[in-house]
Amino acid sequence: MKQLQRYTKKINIVIGLLVIVGFLLVMIVSFFYTPHDVNAMNIPEKLRGPGGAYMFGTDEFGRDIFSRIMKGTQTAFAVGLLTVAIGTIFGILIGGIAGYVGGWVDEIFMRTMDALMAFPGIILALMLVAVFGPGITNTAIALGIIAIPAIARIARSGFVQQRDSEYVLAAKLIGVKPYSIMFRHILPNISSQIIVAATVTFATAMLAEAALSYLGLGVQPPNPSWGRMLKDSQAYLIGAPWYTYAPGGAITILVLGLYMLSNALRDFMDPRSKS
């Protein structure tokens, strides 16, 4: 059983890394090269099947689907990274202060986070995007705000566990500043939990961005977005199924790779698994 678990962990981290690195390479290449202009319309070639000059076929405007999938990785990673940055930075600040200070500060901060978590994530995202307006930046800000409560609760739990540790008490005795204790002493000791949470947040943000773009509230045309491509392909599901398979497959593979990597990181960083 233990050998099977070790084998599963290795498979998760290998496949997860291969998927993430593969999409990262595609994103980097897309900044300099795509087989075709992602926004150039070619009506005579519309809804052409995969093969020849068009690896994944063409859409209803004759645009190369593979080129748009490549360019869409920029949108996916931009939204994911910005969401993780906002959620992690503010989550650590809120959760760290609440867990380290405790008392009424903890109650106010955590009850506010509970109130945010009470809203269904996608509904809150729709509301925020409707207020801020559609677009990559506004979508990432909305998803980042949604990500804050979960990371804040994880950070608070870690700070509560560590604030009475011997190394923290020793640092207090020699006069180390509270903010230094929090972010130079405690934070490194709970970083594994934050990293795993950030990886899951990255995958969740990509799914949410695809959902918002599918509803027309995310990235706006003509900028390529996998969610928007999925929506546009819905009308051609019977006659041109390749149009749906490409963006749907890209979303599925990347999110699956991120979840496999997050599971592997969780197992690898769990002290109990090392024993």
Side-chain angles (χ1 to χ4, degrees):
M1 181 62 71
K2 289 183 178 179
Q3 290 180 346
L4 179 61
Q5 289 176 346
R6 293 194 191 100
Y7 183 73
T8 302
K9 292 176 186 178
K10 291 179 181 179
I11 289 293
N12 282 343
I13 198 164
V14 169
I15 295 178
L17 283 174
L18 285 176
V19 170
I20 305 308
V21 171
F23 275 97
L24 277 173
L25 289 175
V26 170
M27 181 192 71
I28 293 169
V29 171
S30 70
F31 281 104
F32 309 101
Y33 168 80
T34 54
H36 300 271
D37 187 331
V38 295
N39 293 323
M41 298 185 185
N42 188 5
I43 300 302
E45 297 287 344
K46 69 177 183 178
L47 298 178
R48 181 174 174 179
Y54 303 101
M55 185 182 299
F56 289 173
T58 61
D59 63 11
E60 73 273 29
F61 297 111
R63 297 174 298 191
D64 180 38
I65 294 175
F66 180 64
S67 297
R68 292 179 65 79
I69 290 291
M70 288 181 65
K71 210 70 174 179
T73 58
Q74 297 180 19
T75 300
F77 277 96
V79 171
L81 287 172
L82 190 52
T83 299
V84 168
I86 294 171
T88 303
I89 291 171
F90 287 97
I92 289 174
L93 284 173
I94 293 171
I97 293 171
Y100 185 78
V101 176
W104 62 268
V105 174
D106 183 17
E107 285 295 320
I108 291 175
F109 280 13
M110 287 300 101
R111 295 301 76 77
T112 303
M113 295 299 100
D114 289 344
L116 278 176
M117 293 185 74
F119 287 94
I122 192 64
I123 302 298
L124 185 58
L126 287 170
M127 181 184 71
L128 292 172
V129 171
V131 172
F132 295 144
I136 294 177
T137 303
N138 291 340
T139 299
I141 291 173
L143 296 176
I145 292 172
I146 296 170
I148 290 173
I151 296 179
R153 293 185 70 85
I154 292 172
R156 175 192 175 275
S157 176
F159 273 83
V160 168
Q161 292 174 5
Q162 298 291 326
R163 68 185 179 189
D164 294 324
S165 300
E166 292 183 0
Y167 71 91
V168 174
L169 298 176
K172 289 179 179 179
L173 286 174
I174 63 175
V176 179
K177 302 284 187 182
Y179 65 85
S180 183
I181 294 175
M182 290 173 60
F183 300 112
R184 293 184 60 187
H185 294 77
I186 296 179
L187 184 58
N189 285 285
I190 64 169
S191 59
S192 61
Q193 304 168 39
I194 303 297
I195 290 171
V196 173
T199 307
V200 174
T201 300
F202 201 112
T204 305
M206 288 186 175
L207 276 176
E209 184 279 323
L212 291 173
S213 295
Y214 182 89
L215 296 172
L217 293 173
V219 179
Q220 297 300 293
N223 297 322
S225 167
W226 296 343
R228 184 76 189 191
M229 291 174 68
L230 205 58
K231 177 183 183 300
D232 293 339
S233 68
Q234 189 173 356
Y236 308 97
L237 184 58
I238 303 299
W242 60 85
Y243 190 3
T244 302
Y245 296 158
I251 294 170
T252 302
I253 293 171
L254 182 53
V255 171
L256 180 62
L258 284 165
Y259 276 118
M260 292 181 75
L261 183 61
S262 69
N263 286 334
L265 288 174
R266 181 197 61 201
D267 294 336
F268 178 75
M269 293 179 174
D270 187 355
R272 291 171 298 180
S273 67
K274 296 179 181 179
S275 61

